[in-house]
Amino acid sequence: MTSSLLLLMLVTAASVLAAMLNGIPPCLFRHRYGTELKMSNYDCHEPSSCPSQFKSLYIANLDPHISEAILIQLLSGFGKITRTILAKDYKGEPRGFAFVEFESTHSAEQAVEHMNGRLIGQKIIYVERTPKVDEGQDYI
C-alpha cells in the first residue's frame, strides 16, 4: 500500500470519527469526489436525516463519446427513465456530465448503487442523487 493511499484512508477515518462525535449523520458526509462513505440510506438511524425520496441523478465524468442514447441504454435496466439531459457546450460537444430522472425512487437508488464508480468508455463515472430542478429555472 502506498503512503499516499494510507494517508487518505487515515484522514477519511479521522473525518468520519469526528463527524460521528459531532452528531453529523455519517451518510451525509461525503468524500472529496462526492461518493458517500456510507453508500446506503439504510445505514442512517434517523429517517429524517437522510432523505431517500429522490428520482433525479447527476452523472459526472462522462466519456465524450457517450451519447444520450447510450446513457439511456446503460440506465434503463434499473427502471423507466422519464427525462435525460446531457450537457453540451456552445459547439454541441458534450461537457462530461448529465442529469437523469427516473420514474421511481427505487430505480434511482439502484442506479446510484450499481453505476457509481464504474468504468464507462475510458472514464470512471460518478453518480449521485440530486434534487429535481425545474427546467430553465436558475437557483443561486
Side-chain angles (χ1 to χ4, degrees), residues 23 25 33 41 50 63 65 79 81 111 114 126 128-129 132 135:
Y33 297 107
N41 287 334
C50 299
D63 189 293
H65 302 295
I81 296 173
H114 290 91
Y126 160 69
E128 178 184 73
R129 59 187 174 185
K132 183 177 180 180
E135 198 170 351

Side-chain angles (χ1 to χ4, degrees), residues 19-94:
M20 292 169 108
L21 293 174
N22 290 324
I24 300 169
C27 62
L28 296 179
F29 189 76
R30 295 182 181 274
H31 181 268
R32 177 176 142 196
Y33 297 107
T35 55
E36 294 180 357
L37 295 175
K38 287 202 172 191
M39 296 305 293
S40 172
N41 287 334
Y42 304 112
D43 292 337
C44 297
H45 301 292
E46 299 175 28
S48 62
S49 66
C50 299
S52 64
Q53 297 298 320
F54 66 95
K55 297 180 183 178
S56 299
L57 302 179
Y58 167 70
I59 304 170
N61 203 33
L62 284 171
D63 189 293
H65 302 295
I66 301 294
S67 67
E68 193 168 334
I70 293 172
L71 193 59
I72 290 170
Q73 184 180 13
L74 286 169
L75 297 171
S76 63
F78 299 106
K80 185 175 180 187
I81 296 173
T82 56
R83 183 169 76 166
T84 59
I85 300 170
L86 182 64
K88 296 183 178 185
D89 63 11
Y90 69 97
K91 294 179 185 176
E93 299 293 321

